[in-house]
Amino acid sequence: MRLGRLELWPPLLLAPMAGLTHSALRTAILGFGGVGLLSTEMLAAARLPAERPASSPYLVRTAQESPLSYQLLLADDKIIGRVFEALHRLRADAVDLNLGCPAPQVRRAGGGSSLMDDPDRVRRIVAAARKQTSLPLSAKIRLGETLSENGLRDFCRMLADEGIDMLTVHARLRGEPFTRPPRWEWVAKVKQWVDVPVIANGSIDSVDSARACLKITAADGLMIGRAAARQPWVFASIAREVYGVAVPEPDVRLPRLYADFVASLNERFLPERRLGRLKEFTHHFATNYFFGHHLAAKVQASESIEQAWEHAEAFFALNDSERTQQG
Ligand SMILES: Cc1cc2nc3c(=O)[nH]c(=O)nc-3n(C[C@H](O)[C@H](O)[C@H](O)COP(=O)(O)O)c2cc1C
């Protein structure tokens, strides 16, 4: 699959997730393989030019973390020149525009899904971005506020006409919670409306759900979010089983995975930035265990990363057997 000048294979993409898709998680995923495009978490565009790449938890990366798409949260086109200068300096492999985030603080600032209410502003942003860069440019959307075929079709076509190279569709309306089944059939509609590659996103967490989603959507690729934090080997499994890619069968050892994750945080993040990220990750990772809520609660209550690690070691000693791990 092509994203501008990048060839993505397999067409399995890591979703941008605030607090989760940083260097440590990306490294865990790469350890298993099967991922075609990595992502940063969303980056506040206005702050980007001043961030320090060596110490910012949003920007820290190793040379192995490639190709890496940088996701921008931006509300207007005025700062785009400076923002893309920074992205070129950072050697972004691709840039994604966040048009779907429903978080109230993001919407109040005029970003995320509020942009879908103002297609003219989005048109200006995309046109300005396209002028500033030859990097692959993508956009990530939800289905909108309410279901509207005409509205969504016009919006998607506008993005493609202005030079977006790939469109990712999180198949839910703005207000819909993750517990609601995704509306994959709407990704199939988008796929028919535009010529650029369309990526399906929403509740893809296994080989079976990947197959089911592809069958319904005929999407050019799949984007995986929460399952990547729970099971960083999910890309390798889908790459092997669905796309026939020759990556090794995942050799999953949860305590080692967790230990490596903690080591990556310690190596790459400033001390005050480590514990919060471990708590975010543990919230998802712990669901691999029947008694994972015990681990999550202990890590949540920890006051240092060392204390969190001690709790995790004690938990693994008691719980790490075949019987106590979930699917
Ligand atoms: C903790 C968390 C943080 C997220 N942060 C972002 C973000 O920064 N940018 C974005 O476009 N979507 C964000 N999302 C949405 C995901 O990218 C994705 O669209 C959503 O989780 C559905 O995919 P999934 O079912 O595979 O998790 C976030 C989701 C979660 C759970």
Side-chain angles (χ1 to χ4, degrees):
M1 196 207 87
R2 286 210 80 76
L3 165 54
R5 61 191 185 201
L6 285 180
E7 180 70 34
L8 304 186
W9 188 255
L12 292 173
L13 287 69
L14 173 63
M17 290 186 291
L20 281 172
T21 46
H22 44 66
S23 182
L25 182 66
R26 294 191 297 256
T27 301
I29 292 166
L30 285 172
F32 295 101
V35 65
L37 183 66
L38 295 163
S39 179
T40 64
E41 44 193 302
M42 63 186 168
L43 308 168
R47 291 208 295 272
L48 189 63
E51 289 275 350
R52 296 158 69 99
S55 57
S56 160
Y58 309 108
L59 299 182
V60 144
R61 77 184 271 196
T62 58
Q64 285 73 41
E65 292 162 51
S66 178
L68 177 60
S69 172
Y70 285 60
Q71 193 194 47
L72 287 182
L73 196 57
L74 86 181
D76 66 57
D77 56 314
K78 299 199 182 61
I79 54 170
I80 277 188
R82 286 192 303 123
V83 172
F84 274 87
E85 258 172 43
L87 288 165
H88 293 153
R89 236 185 0 258
L90 291 164
R91 298 190 183 284
D93 298 301
V95 179
D96 185 62
L97 304 177
N98 180 331
L99 306 181
C101 180
Q105 68 276 23
V106 169
R107 289 179 52 78
R108 271 197 300 276
S113 59
S114 78
L115 284 167
M116 286 184 75
D117 300 337
D118 192 349
D120 284 336
R121 192 148 51 102
V122 177
R123 183 193 300 277
R124 286 198 301 277
I125 289 173
V126 176
R130 188 67 291 172
K131 246 196 231 154
Q132 289 291 331
T133 192
S134 59
L135 285 174
L137 198 57
S138 57
K140 180 164 177 280
I141 63 170
R142 282 198 179 212
L143 299 176
E145 170 82 51
T146 53
L147 289 178
S148 156
E149 284 212 11
N150 290 347
L152 187 62
R153 185 190 56 224
D154 292 351
F155 190 78
C156 293
R157 286 194 177 150
M158 178 273 286
L159 292 174
D161 288 346
E162 293 298 336
I164 285 287
D165 296 308
M166 179 183 87
L167 196 52
T168 300
V169 184
H170 176 191
R172 289 188 175 92
L173 291 167
R174 174 192 301 162
E176 288 179 340
F178 288 138
T179 45
R180 192 205 182 282
R183 301 172 185 271
W184 286 335
E185 65 283 3
W186 279 75
V187 181
K189 292 180 197 276
V190 175
K191 174 75 188 135
Q192 302 221 311
W193 294 332
V194 294
D195 289 333
V196 296
V198 173
I199 306 299
N201 170 239
S203 300
I204 301 159
D205 60 1
S206 62
V207 168
D208 285 351
S209 55
R211 283 207 176 103
C213 178
L214 283 172
K215 194 163 172 211
I216 292 173
T217 62
D220 299 285
L222 304 174
M223 177 178 274
I224 299 173
R226 290 160 298 155
R230 178 179 189 232
Q231 304 193 322
W233 61 92
V234 67
F235 298 91
S237 303
I238 298 173
R240 280 170 58 88
E241 306 284 331
V242 178
Y243 290 101
V245 176
V247 287
E249 190 171 344
D251 174 16
V252 181
R253 296 171 201 210
L254 293 174
R256 195 177 65 189
L257 173 63
Y258 197 80
D260 288 349
F261 187 86
V262 172
S264 292
L265 288 177
N266 282 334
E267 267 165 31
R268 296 173 206 170
F269 290 77
L270 294 174
E272 65 274 22
R273 301 292 199 163
R274 295 171 190 161
L275 184 60
R277 281 170 174 76
L278 185 62
K279 288 180 179 179
E280 288 272 354
F281 173 69
T282 306
H283 175 73
H284 296 271
F285 171 87
T287 60
N288 286 301
Y289 290 91
F290 286 123
F291 298 110
H293 50 289
H294 294 174
L295 172 64
K298 289 280 192 193
V299 170
Q300 201 56 40
S302 296
E303 286 176 3
S304 68
I305 200 159
E306 292 75 19
Q307 197 185 21
W309 172 243
E310 277 169 25
H311 287 310
E313 272 195 308
F315 176 86
F316 293 140
L318 279 178
N319 290 279
D320 199 60
S321 71
E322 290 296 315
R323 274 185 308 110
T324 53
Q325 288 181 25
Q326 291 193 356

